[in-house]
Amino acid sequence: MAERTAATASLSGPFATEQRARRYAVTMGVLLALAAVFAVGILVWDNPAPAGSDGFWRIAQLRVTSLIVIVVVAVCQGLATISFQTVTGNRIVTPSLMGFESLYTAISTSAIFFFGAAGARMVQGVGPYLLQIVVMLVFSGALYGWLLSGRYANVQIMLLVGIILGGALAAFSTFLQRMLTPTEFDLLTARLIGSVANADASYLPIAVPLVVLAAAALWWGGGRLDLLGLGRDVALSLGASHRRDSILTLLMVSILMAVSTSLIGPMTFLGFLVAMLTYQLADTYDHRRMFAMAALVGFVVLGGAYVVLKHVFYAAGSVGIIVEIVGGTFFLVHLLRKGRL
């Protein structure tokens, strides 16, 4: 009788069985261990100064910036993608479809096209970084407010409009890029490849508080996201304010994506890769538990790629390219297996 009661209790919690709960705990432990190893590797591996010396610790402190950037991007991409897929009810679409990266590309391309090499410096610095975030938030806020509060109020229409606007911005950027000089195009290409090296330490006082704010809001609203994950009709029948919760969630997603994209550049498939691995490993509907695992998975994927490529293959600038290739491959395999969007 006691065993039956325990089994029933486990079914009413975030995990269907006790075995899944134990597997989640073990997986989190393994991810924490891997994250710790990669964090230490980022800070101390291949440090040219003698271990324990003042120079050794000074170099390690300089590498803290890269470590913080990886943490910020991992949290942004993981939480944003899972939240976005919950609202849209589709585990294939990602926030990148809404045109964030196309807008970033258009801003960078326009600056270099109209101002030449000086334009590359114009989009660098705290002021331009903050301006890019504001532009992305205004873009997404207007899009969500119009398409989810108007007479249509349809997530599918929002996705369609976002894809069309993203395609238009990408086409506009491509048109301008064809008229750039080879030198200007090289400067632009360096900004359009997602890389930890693109981040500046001066951006972090802006990026970190925004990420903490958005992540805390999504964490606090984890219960509402659980309801949204059941579908619109079920959520409404349980008393949820589907439209309000969807808009608020998407605004938090916009903050996370704007911070990440403006910080290191486009990472189209990183979010999808992190979210897909999280769904497979977490095996729960509880968004708070998925958020915790997604942050760790994102750090392990991005941090591991950074350590291996920088210290083994000496190609740190290829981290974004490798992550995109792996993520894009997983996306195609998942799409072909699923057979539909």
Side-chain angles (χ1 to χ4, degrees), residues 184-257:
E184 293 171 344
F185 186 78
D186 288 342
L187 290 173
L188 176 63
T189 302
R191 288 187 55 82
L192 299 186
I193 297 177
S195 174
V196 176
N198 288 341
D200 192 310
S202 61
Y203 299 168
L204 295 179
I206 297 174
V208 172
L210 288 175
V211 172
V212 170
L213 173 66
L218 290 174
W219 182 276
W220 180 74
R224 290 194 294 271
L225 284 171
D226 294 342
L227 290 179
L228 293 179
L230 297 174
R232 182 177 182 275
D233 294 336
V234 176
L236 289 175
S237 67
L238 294 175
S241 178
H242 186 272
R243 183 180 301 178
R244 183 199 64 190
D245 292 344
S246 296
I247 292 177
L248 291 176
T249 299
L250 291 173
L251 288 177
M252 295 304 104
V253 169
S254 300
I255 293 175
L256 294 175
M257 290 301 298

Side-chain angles (χ1 to χ4, degrees), residues 58-91:
R58 191 173 295 112
I59 293 173
Q61 289 175 358
L62 294 175
R63 295 181 176 182
V64 170
T65 298
S66 297
L67 183 63
I68 296 175
V69 169
I70 292 173
V71 172
V72 168
V73 173
V75 172
C76 288
Q77 294 285 342
L79 271 62
T81 303
I82 289 176
S83 301
F84 186 81
Q85 291 179 344
T86 296
V87 172
T88 58
N90 192 311
R91 290 191 172 184

Side-chain angles (χ1 to χ4, degrees), residues 84-139:
F84 186 81
Q85 291 179 344
T86 296
V87 172
T88 58
N90 192 311
R91 290 191 172 184
I92 291 182
V93 297
T94 66
S96 300
L97 290 176
M98 298 306 296
F100 289 102
E101 294 172 356
S102 297
L103 182 59
Y104 172 85
T105 301
I107 293 173
S108 300
T109 304
S110 299
I112 294 179
F113 176 80
F114 290 108
F115 300 101
R121 294 189 295 272
M122 292 177 62
V123 293
Q124 295 177 345
V126 176
Y129 175 70
L130 184 59
L131 180 60
Q132 289 181 77
I133 292 177
V134 171
V135 170
M136 290 183 184
L137 291 180
V138 170
F139 170 79

